[in-house]
Amino acid sequence: MAEARSVTTALAGHFKLSSKQCPQSQEEEEEMSRVPYASAVGSFMYAMVCTRPDLAYSVSTVSRFMLNSEKQYWEAVKWVL
Protein backbone atom coordinates (compact mmCIF):
# COMPACT_ATOMS: atom_id res chain seq x y z
CA MET A 1 0.00 0.00 0.00
CA ALA A 2 3.05 2.26 0.17
CA GLU A 3 2.75 3.11 -3.52
CA ALA A 4 -1.05 3.36 -3.61
CA ARG A 5 -2.70 6.29 -5.32
CA SER A 6 -5.94 7.94 -4.29
CA VAL A 7 -9.16 7.29 -6.21
CA THR A 8 -12.48 9.10 -6.37
CA THR A 9 -14.78 6.07 -6.04
CA ALA A 10 -14.75 3.72 -3.07
CA LEU A 11 -15.36 0.65 -5.24
CA ALA A 12 -14.89 0.93 -8.98
CA GLY A 13 -17.12 -0.73 -11.54
CA HIS A 14 -14.36 -2.97 -12.86
CA PHE A 15 -14.63 -5.16 -9.75
CA LYS A 16 -17.07 -7.94 -10.63
CA LEU A 17 -17.29 -9.91 -7.41
CA SER A 18 -19.34 -13.09 -7.17
CA SER A 19 -19.42 -16.28 -5.15
CA LYS A 20 -18.19 -18.20 -8.21
CA GLN A 21 -14.75 -16.68 -7.63
CA CYS A 22 -14.29 -18.29 -4.21
CA PRO A 23 -11.14 -20.39 -3.72
CA GLN A 24 -11.38 -23.69 -5.53
CA SER A 25 -8.39 -25.49 -4.05
CA GLN A 26 -6.94 -26.05 -0.61
CA GLU A 27 -3.80 -24.17 -1.66
CA GLU A 28 -5.80 -21.05 -2.53
CA GLU A 29 -7.65 -21.23 0.79
CA GLU A 30 -4.37 -21.50 2.73
CA GLU A 31 -2.89 -18.54 0.85
CA MET A 32 -5.92 -16.36 1.59
CA SER A 33 -5.96 -17.41 5.25
CA ARG A 34 -2.80 -15.31 5.72
CA VAL A 35 -4.52 -12.16 4.37
CA PRO A 36 -6.18 -9.90 6.99
CA TYR A 37 -9.38 -9.67 4.95
CA ALA A 38 -11.89 -9.86 7.81
CA SER A 39 -9.91 -7.37 9.88
CA ALA A 40 -9.87 -4.85 7.03
CA VAL A 41 -13.60 -5.25 6.38
CA GLY A 42 -14.29 -4.85 10.10
CA SER A 43 -12.30 -1.62 10.12
CA PHE A 44 -14.35 -0.39 7.15
CA MET A 45 -17.55 -1.19 9.03
CA TYR A 46 -16.40 0.80 12.05
CA ALA A 47 -15.44 3.77 9.87
CA MET A 48 -18.71 3.56 7.95
CA VAL A 49 -20.87 3.56 11.08
CA CYS A 50 -18.92 6.28 12.88
CA THR A 51 -17.86 8.76 10.20
CA ARG A 52 -18.09 7.54 6.59
CA PRO A 53 -21.61 6.61 5.47
CA ASP A 54 -20.41 6.96 1.86
CA LEU A 55 -18.59 3.63 2.29
CA ALA A 56 -21.84 1.70 2.88
CA TYR A 57 -22.11 0.18 -0.60
CA SER A 58 -18.45 -0.81 -0.75
CA VAL A 59 -18.51 -2.33 2.71
CA SER A 60 -21.66 -4.32 2.01
CA THR A 61 -20.17 -5.64 -1.23
CA VAL A 62 -16.84 -6.81 0.20
CA SER A 63 -18.37 -8.11 3.44
CA ARG A 64 -20.41 -10.69 1.51
CA PHE A 65 -17.24 -12.68 0.90
CA MET A 66 -15.69 -12.72 4.37
CA LEU A 67 -16.06 -16.47 4.75
CA ASN A 68 -14.47 -17.43 1.41
CA SER A 69 -12.20 -14.61 0.34
CA GLU A 70 -10.24 -14.71 -2.92
CA LYS A 71 -7.42 -12.59 -4.33
CA GLN A 72 -9.81 -10.49 -6.39
CA TYR A 73 -11.82 -9.70 -3.26
CA TRP A 74 -8.63 -8.64 -1.50
CA GLU A 75 -7.83 -6.35 -4.44
CA ALA A 76 -11.25 -4.75 -4.00
CA VAL A 77 -10.57 -4.21 -0.29
CA LYS A 78 -7.22 -2.60 -1.09
CA TRP A 79 -8.99 -0.37 -3.62
CA VAL A 80 -11.33 0.87 -0.88
CA LEU A 81 -8.33 1.56 1.36
Side-chain angles (χ1 to χ4, degrees):
M1 297 303 302
E3 296 178 20
R5 59 182 174 81
S6 64
V7 294
T8 57
T9 58
L11 190 62
H14 70 275
F15 289 107
K16 305 294 184 202
L17 305 177
S18 73
S19 59
K20 294 178 183 177
Q21 298 165 327
C22 291
Q24 301 297 322
S25 68
Q26 185 69 23
E27 183 178 288
E28 290 176 350
E29 288 180 15
E30 289 176 11
E31 182 180 343
M32 288 308 296
S33 70
R34 294 186 292 271
V35 174
Y37 188 86
S39 177
V41 173
S43 297
F44 289 153
M45 287 182 180
Y46 178 78
M48 177 193 69
V49 169
C50 294
T51 60
R52 298 285 309 268
D54 58 315
L55 291 178
Y57 174 74
S58 303
V59 170
S60 69
T61 302
V62 296
S63 66
R64 293 177 197 159
F65 306 105
M66 286 184 41
L67 185 60
N68 270 334
S69 59
E70 164 58 46
K71 282 185 180 181
Q72 189 169 3
Y73 307 147
W74 180 238
E75 293 299 319
V77 166
K78 290 194 302 187
W79 181 276
V80 175
L81 281 174

